[in-house]
């Protein structure tokens, strides 16, 4: 069983040998620190694991098996933001627990995890307390020895880790006090990072831009690299069921597929189309869980907004039961996809494409020439679909056409966003306009899906001898919302298709 803790800390090192001899200053009276309590010294022995080419370290992750202290076990630290990491721990065992192996799979894939560095630390622990004796932070002074093959290094490190719920401003106050005493914030983000540097085995640099600066190839590949990184980084978040993780991972799939199509004159579609199909598969597998989440939230919100007199029967209970059953199945399906060899092969294919991109002659052209044409082509595709949908009478045919227009709006938006680094505000404003169309059409499609679900819930309720009245009320409300969206579309589209938005792009 794995436990997770949000770790907010700051690491320091002494700037001179004289400062090191003086040691850590007394922090009593610093900010809210009213007392300092010595907790004694413990000995820690940690072996850090990584692939031979240090894929985890390259992305700022650390995986270790540690003995000694109260938290002996396996520890995986995942970066959240500077100075903030999520630490996932499991009990001590001889082999890497499956729960942690899954969280590093998007980076490790078929690579072998092997011991890389051993860190032996003598840690003096001090608790920083407030006036009531509550813990504010734990201060650790570590005498560290790193061992890697025949190389070794030693240093002293000071770490201040906040207790849960403590204002991070405390770290700023401690840092100010430390600076006066000859300590600075450590240049290394972690002990492992310093150990690798000190023993001469830093992770290899991440691949840089491909293609000449300012070219269409460089622009597109930089964008694709960002989306690949999102896919890899969101994988453990999806497995941990963190909020919005599935959504962000699916968007990265969509943006990558859109870029393949939008910039077809930059990258050879003979190479990108097969990867795009695999991205479509992954987005669909992930989407089932995300779509159910959105659908449940929408219906629940509308139920909450009804007057009590219109809520007849065990509506909320039936809704929860329905959602729990469906979410259990959709989440299993998402995790099954992430554990599949097909998914690992997709990530490998993306890496291979970025390492040796199938560039076409258009990739060598200036991005400021290629990007506007590509963006405007996607805009025209959207304009055609919107016009076609508006020409149809309300009904299933128009619903399908509006759904197609929604997909085109996403692609036009993503195209403009990808071009923003070279087209600046012009692309940014167009992307904003496309997002407004996408949002309206997305709400319309959500209403279409919700009506089908509500009809099913009404049938279930009636079959169980319950009143279906409330489900009918909700269905009618969704019909009204969809109709309202269709009435608003001409005005929203009229603003989005303002020629001024495209003038600076050459349209």
């Amino acid at each position: 069983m794995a436990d997770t803790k949000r770790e907010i800390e700051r690491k320091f090192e002494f700037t001179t040998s004289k400062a090191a001899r003086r040691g850590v200053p007394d922090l009593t009276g610093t900010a809210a620190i009213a007392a300092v309590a010595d907790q004694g010294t413990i000995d820690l022995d940690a072996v850090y694991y990584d692939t031979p080419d240090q894929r985890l370290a390259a992305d700022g992750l650390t995986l270790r098996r540690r003995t000694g202290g109260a938290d002996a076990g396996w520890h995986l630290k995942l970066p959240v933001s500077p100075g903030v990491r999520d630490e996932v721990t499991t009990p001590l065992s001889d082999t890497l627990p499956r729960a942690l192996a899954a969280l590093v799979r998007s980076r490790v894939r078929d690579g072998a995890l092997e011991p890389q560095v051993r860190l032996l630390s003598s840690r003096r622990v001090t608790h920083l307390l407030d006036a009531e004796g509550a813990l504010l932070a734990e201060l650790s002074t570590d005498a560290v020895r790193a061992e890697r093959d025949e190389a070794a290094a030693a240093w002293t490190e000071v770490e201040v880790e906040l207790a849960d719920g403590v204002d991070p401003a405390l770290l700023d106050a401690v840092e100010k006090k430390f600076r006066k005493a000859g300590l600075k914030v450590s240049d290394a983000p972690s002990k492992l990072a310093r150990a690798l540097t000190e023993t001469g085995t830093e992770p290899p640099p991440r691949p840089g831009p491909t293609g000449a600066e300012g070219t269409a190839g460089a622009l597109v590949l930089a964008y694709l690299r960002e989306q690949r990184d999102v896919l890899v980084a969101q994988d453990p978040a999806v497995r941990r069921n963190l909020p919005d993780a599935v959504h962000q991972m699916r968007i990265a799939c969509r943006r990558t597929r859109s870029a393949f199509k939008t910039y077809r004159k930059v990258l050879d579609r003979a190479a990108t189309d097969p990867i795009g199909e695999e991205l479509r598969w992954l987005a669909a597998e992930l989407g089932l869980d995300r779509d159910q989440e959105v659908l449940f939230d929408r219906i629940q919100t509308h139920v909450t907004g009804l007057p009590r007199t219109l809520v007849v029967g065990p509506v909320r209970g039936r809704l929860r039961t329905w959602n729990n059953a469906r979410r259990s199945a959709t989440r299993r399906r998402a995790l099954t996809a992430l554990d599949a060899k097909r998914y690992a092969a997709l990530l490998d294919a993306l890496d291979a494409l970025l390492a040796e991109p199938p560039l076409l002659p258009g990739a060598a052209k200036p991005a400021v020439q290629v990007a506007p044409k590509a963006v405007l082509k996607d805009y025209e595709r959207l304009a055609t679909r919107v016009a076609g949908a508006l020409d149809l009478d309300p009904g299933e045919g128009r619903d399908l056409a509006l759904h197609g227009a929604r997909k085109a709006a996403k692609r036009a938006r993503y195209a403009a966003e990808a071009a923003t680094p070279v087209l600046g505000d012009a692309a940014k404003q167009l992307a904003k306009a496309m997002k407004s169309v996408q949002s309206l059409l997305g709400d319309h499609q959500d209403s279409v899906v919700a009506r089908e679900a509500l009809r099913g819930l009404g049938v279930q309720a009636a079959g169980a001898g319950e009143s279906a009245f409330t489900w009918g009320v909700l269905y009618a409300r969704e019909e009204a919302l969809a109709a309202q969206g269709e009435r608003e579309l001409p005005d929203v589209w009229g603003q989005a298709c303002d020629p001024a938005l495209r003038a600076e792009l050459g349209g």
Side-chain angles (χ1 to χ4, degrees):
M1 181 177 179
D3 294 319
T4 302
K5 180 181 183 301
R6 178 61 54 90
E7 182 183 79
I8 303 176
E9 64 181 17
R10 202 165 295 177
K11 297 179 183 296
F12 302 88
E13 58 186 80
F14 293 101
T15 56
T16 65
S17 56
K18 183 178 180 181
R21 287 194 297 272
R22 286 198 303 263
V24 177
D26 183 5
L27 293 174
T28 304
T30 302
I33 301 171
V36 176
D38 186 5
Q39 301 297 304
T41 300
I42 55 177
D43 293 323
L44 306 173
D45 186 345
V47 176
Y48 287 76
Y49 287 74
D50 206 337
T51 58
D53 55 354
Q54 298 176 22
R55 299 176 198 174
L56 300 184
D59 280 354
L61 282 73
T62 61
L63 173 64
R64 72 189 178 201
R65 180 184 184 276
R66 190 166 78 181
T67 58
D71 63 346
W74 287 89
H75 304 168
L76 172 64
K77 297 193 178 187
L78 300 157
V80 176
S81 59
V84 182
R85 296 187 293 182
D86 279 347
E87 183 177 45
V88 185
T89 63
T90 61
L92 196 62
S93 61
D94 292 335
T95 58
L96 176 65
R98 291 178 62 183
L100 297 191
L103 294 181
V104 298
R105 185 167 185 257
S106 64
R107 292 173 169 92
V108 174
R109 296 173 212 168
D110 293 330
L113 285 167
E114 302 171 355
Q116 300 296 320
V117 179
R118 183 184 185 191
L119 293 184
L120 302 168
S121 304
S122 177
R123 169 171 292 182
R124 181 182 177 185
V125 179
T126 303
H127 284 178
L128 309 180
L129 310 174
D130 66 11
E132 281 76 42
L135 180 66
L136 293 171
E138 182 174 281
L139 185 154
S140 303
T141 304
D142 292 347
V144 184
R145 175 179 171 81
E147 299 176 351
R148 177 177 168 85
D149 298 327
E150 301 302 319
W155 69 89
T156 298
E157 179 177 283
V158 178
E159 176 183 296
V160 180
E161 180 180 345
L162 295 181
D164 292 342
V166 175
D167 189 342
L170 178 66
L171 292 175
D172 296 330
V174 170
E175 180 182 340
K176 183 177 180 180
K177 179 82 169 184
F178 276 2
R179 279 202 307 266
K180 294 178 180 179
L183 290 99
K184 68 169 186 174
V185 174
S186 178
D187 294 328
S190 66
K191 285 186 177 67
L192 175 61
R194 180 162 184 175
L196 293 173
T197 300
E198 295 277 351
T199 57
T201 53
E202 290 183 272
R206 297 190 61 132
T210 304
E213 185 177 356
T215 63
L219 171 70
V220 174
L221 290 171
Y223 181 77
L224 292 175
R225 194 171 289 112
E226 288 177 8
Q227 305 315 314
R228 187 275 315 273
D229 289 348
V230 171
L231 273 177
V232 171
Q234 288 298 327
D235 174 296
V238 171
R239 294 176 187 273
R240 294 167 59 204
N241 205 22
L242 296 185
D244 208 38
V246 169
H247 181 51
Q248 292 303 319
M249 196 170 186
R250 189 164 61 153
I251 285 177
C253 292
R254 288 172 171 168
R255 283 180 169 153
T256 303
R257 288 183 66 223
S258 290
F260 287 162
K261 294 174 182 178
T262 297
Y263 294 99
R264 63 187 68 195
K265 293 186 178 181
V266 174
L267 294 172
D268 187 351
R269 289 193 62 179
T272 61
D273 278 357
I275 298 176
E277 282 302 303
E278 292 303 283
L279 287 165
R280 185 174 67 84
W281 160 77
L282 178 60
E285 296 299 296
L286 295 171
L288 293 171
D289 193 48
R290 170 63 181 174
D291 290 345
Q292 178 61 27
E293 178 186 11
V294 170
L295 179 59
F296 171 71
D297 288 345
R298 182 183 182 94
I299 297 176
Q300 185 180 52
T301 298
H302 289 176
V303 169
T304 302
L306 289 177
R308 290 184 180 181
T309 54
L310 297 184
V311 181
V312 182
V315 172
R316 291 182 176 83
R318 175 162 294 281
L319 180 60
R320 285 194 300 270
T321 300
W322 170 81
N323 180 65
N324 290 341
R326 291 169 67 97
R327 283 300 298 277
S328 177
T330 58
R331 175 149 177 81
R332 281 198 307 271
R333 188 159 173 174
L335 294 178
T336 297
L338 295 186
D339 287 335
K341 291 183 179 179
R342 184 177 180 179
Y343 166 63
L346 166 59
L347 294 180
D348 287 341
L350 280 171
D351 286 348
L353 180 138
L354 292 169
E356 297 183 18
L359 298 176
L360 296 175
K365 296 180 180 179
V368 292
Q369 293 180 10
V370 174
K373 294 178 182 178
V375 172
L376 290 173
K377 187 170 184 178
D378 279 347
Y379 165 81
E380 293 297 339
R381 177 171 172 269
L382 169 62
T384 299
R385 292 199 178 187
V386 171
L390 290 175
D391 283 342
L392 297 174
D393 292 329
E396 184 178 353
R398 176 183 264 197
D399 289 343
L400 290 172
L402 290 174
H403 184 41
R406 176 198 185 191
K407 294 179 180 178
K410 285 183 182 179
R411 181 161 149 185
R413 171 192 169 190
Y414 295 156
E417 288 175 346
T420 298
V422 294
L423 301 183
D425 286 343
K428 190 178 296 185
Q429 291 304 314
L430 183 61
K432 184 178 179 180
M434 296 302 98
K435 184 178 180 180
S436 68
V437 177
Q438 175 194 330
S439 297
L440 179 65
L441 294 175
D443 193 60
H444 182 276
Q445 177 61 17
D446 288 347
S447 178
V448 172
V449 174
R451 274 178 273 160
E452 181 62 23
L454 290 166
R455 189 187 70 81
L457 284 162
V459 170
Q460 289 179 16
E466 301 165 6
S467 172
F469 172 79
T470 300
W471 305 113
V473 170
L474 293 170
Y475 188 100
R477 180 174 184 177
E478 288 291 0
E479 280 190 318
L481 289 172
Q484 179 182 336
E486 292 180 35
R487 289 193 298 271
E488 293 175 356
L489 178 58
D491 287 340
V492 173
W493 174 243
Q495 296 177 38
C497 69
D498 184 347
L501 287 169
R502 306 188 305 282
E504 293 186 44
L505 300 180

